[in-house]
Amino acid sequence: MNDVLIDLAKKIKNIYPDKDILPLHEPTFIGNEEKYVLDCIKTGWVSSVGRYVDQFERMLAEFTGVKRAVAVVNGTAALHIALKIVGVKPNDEVLIPSLTFVATANAVVYCGAVPHFVDVSDTTLGINPFTLENYLKDIAVVKQDVCFNKKTGRIIRAIVPMHTFGHPVDLDPLLDLCERWHLIMVEDAAESLGSYYKGIHTGNFGKASAMSFNGNKIVTTGGGGAVLTNDEKLADYAKHLTTTAKLPHPWKYEHDQVGYNYRMPNLNAALGCAQLEHLDDFIDKKRRLVHKYERLIADYEGIKLFKEPHYAKSNYWLQTLIFDDKKYSIDEVLQTLNDYHVMSRPIWKPLHLLDPFKHYPKADLSVTEKLQHQIVNVPSSSYLGEDIDG
Ligand SMILES: *Cc1c(COP(=O)(O)O)cnc(C)c1O
């Protein structure tokens, strides 16, 4: 085994020596979680109505500065609904990064639409607006304010930038591109609660955005998600669609379209309210953990810590090491770290290489294909940022 990697593993493990295993990301329940969840059980309000859902939505809107938040069962459902309410239709193409969690592509397919994979930048890990512009000049044309793929004849309706590991995409050039190419932006902000682009919280830039509160995210509701939008009408529509499209009435079952049973249960929202009370603290600790990793890897050649882009303040949801692929084999890195109980993971397999998505259109993806062999996420739980021995 590689001595450098063993040394690295031991040093990471030493960030929190009391633990036998350092998980990749563990939630922290140190506040009102138990109290609020018990309150649901004691009052009987555990399901699809109850005050915690409204409170969770209000707290999210307040924290992010987005006008409205609609809480749903998970982040994938949030993406599905966000795409639907902005007008993604069957047979439309939707531009998405190939370097993302599979949910981004799944949600597009749920709409009957076609994921179209584009490349990322190695300085942001998100969609590269500059290579995308050149690609669009090559394959697309705008006719009467609608963007068409010249090769497939389909409409390219929307684009879904994803803020990888909490690091905001370079949004200004992307918004600019959206305006010129008549594309609707939907942000996949599943990983970026607590991340800001030029001082504005992510999720404010898309016509609609999606967040996730899965167990491994910075704040968890067990399972959960939210659709965010600054457009009141779209928010009302999201609410309607996610509550089976039922028309309000004290007892009649009147539904005006095919809806979805996607509403977040009160039990989950209760957990979320307690978690949001600690979000600032979680972010603070995660940002302090960055300095620990920075000191820790300073001695090694060919290992870099991914840092937030200059325009951003990131929540540093998952800490990210980038290995020089001429010096290190990523499989050996992962084997060594995990052997030493430092739970570490590679970045997702690029989606265009997965069986269900192989046949979809794609741009040149050379940066994505290179990064997949270089990126390792290392333990990132917020408590690791605590000062334990000064
Ligand atoms: C977590 C995540 C989602 C949504 O995931 P759920 O598990 O459905 O809540 C979507 N996109 C990205 C990039 C994610 O990381």
Side-chain angles (χ1 to χ4, degrees), residues 328-341:
Y328 298 98
S329 120
I330 195 135
D331 291 327
E332 194 182 3
V333 171
L334 290 163
Q335 187 69 54
T336 310
L337 293 178
N338 284 290
D339 280 353
Y340 281 80
H341 296 175

Side-chain angles (χ1 to χ4, degrees), residues 17-39:
D18 291 354
K19 275 202 169 261
D20 289 339
I21 295 177
L22 289 191
L24 183 65
H25 198 286
E26 240 186 336
T28 304
F29 302 126
I30 45 168
N32 288 317
E33 284 85 356
E34 193 174 334
K35 182 176 158 200
Y36 295 169
V37 171
L38 263 182
D39 180 48

